[in-house]
Amino acid sequence: MRFIKYQLSAEKLCLGERVKGGRYKPSIKTIRYSQIVGALKHQFGVSDVHAVGSLEQFKVEFLSYTLKDRALDNSKLPLRVEFLTDVSGVVYISEGHIPKEKENRFDLVMGGMVSKGYGNCRLTKAGEIDMEKENDKEGLLNTRIPIKAEDERELMELMENGVPSKFLTNIFGIKKVLRPVLGYLFDPVYEHTGVYVLSLFEGSKIVSCESLLINGGR
């Protein structure tokens, strides 16, 4: 599949992990499929877009703040939130999903803490690639991508023999999964509901195009 490559920049970005009941909210250090796809769907109203990204440079900072329980009119225990500043990265968006008049450069809101001024990103076009036709290398995955196995047999083929799902191969050109690092990404179904989807996380050892690998597989 063909993708448009964008350089991403942001002053403050909070790509929070989902931590149930915890008072410390870390930020992941990459751009997961579900996060960038969700932002693009919200921004442009597209339905079948595919996108991934990774961060190249950033600084880590922390913010502590107290939430207020309006019903009881009192304050809860303070939260400590990790966020990123001076962020630069790269994003790949499937071709044909960004309006032509905005294809070269557009702004996108992504991540958490939006009401506090976080998450404003600028994306600038930097080229086009076809992930299936790029040179393949062995290396570590630099992002998080859902496996989207069509059935249990396809999932077992991946787990036992390293054969990637059709989704991983046809969309992102992944040829082999040598050592998976597994986790779950939240896939929204409706506005307030969704499902968790088994996914490859950063650090998975794979054979794929250089664009999906840490430092290009070097």
Side-chain angles (χ1 to χ4, degrees), residues 88-136:
S88 64
V90 62
V91 169
Y92 299 95
I93 302 173
S94 53
E95 194 175 51
H97 291 93
I98 305 301
K100 281 293 182 182
E101 66 274 14
K102 295 186 176 182
E103 190 175 274
N104 290 326
R105 189 173 67 178
F106 64 93
D107 294 330
L108 183 72
V109 177
M110 182 173 63
M113 308 272 287
V114 173
S115 63
K116 297 184 180 296
Y118 293 66
N120 295 315
C121 305
R122 170 64 57 89
L123 278 77
T124 305
K125 186 176 179 179
E128 300 178 9
I129 68 165
D130 189 326
M131 290 193 179
E132 290 185 89
K133 295 180 179 178
E134 268 199 330
N135 293 330
D136 291 328

Side-chain angles (χ1 to χ4, degrees), residues 66-77:
T66 302
L67 296 174
K68 189 170 183 178
D69 189 323
R70 295 180 180 178
L72 300 175
D73 194 28
N74 60 18
S75 296
K76 300 179 180 181
L77 290 172

Side-chain angles (χ1 to χ4, degrees), residues 9-117:
S9 61
E11 290 186 7
K12 296 184 296 183
L13 206 52
C14 182
L15 305 175
E17 295 274 33
R18 291 178 176 268
V19 182
K20 281 283 188 178
R23 295 200 299 273
Y24 171 62
K25 306 293 185 183
S27 177
I28 66 172
K29 310 304 188 297
T30 188
I31 303 173
R32 55 185 177 243
Y33 175 95
S34 57
Q35 191 126 52
I36 183 65
V37 166
L40 290 167
K41 286 182 177 181
H42 180 77
Q43 181 106 348
F44 297 113
V46 293
S47 59
D48 57 348
V49 63
H50 299 289
V52 289
S54 60
L55 300 181
E56 297 173 331
Q57 292 183 332
F58 55 83
K59 298 176 183 176
V60 177
E61 298 192 26
F62 299 91
L63 170 70
S64 294
Y65 71 98
T66 302
L67 296 174
K68 189 170 183 178
D69 189 323
R70 295 180 180 178
L72 300 175
D73 194 28
N74 60 18
S75 296
K76 300 179 180 181
L77 290 172
L79 285 173
R80 188 167 185 256
V81 178
E82 183 181 69
F83 65 97
L84 311 177
T85 62
D86 299 329
V87 180
S88 64
V90 62
V91 169
Y92 299 95
I93 302 173
S94 53
E95 194 175 51
H97 291 93
I98 305 301
K100 281 293 182 182
E101 66 274 14
K102 295 186 176 182
E103 190 175 274
N104 290 326
R105 189 173 67 178
F106 64 93
D107 294 330
L108 183 72
V109 177
M110 182 173 63
M113 308 272 287
V114 173
S115 63
K116 297 184 180 296

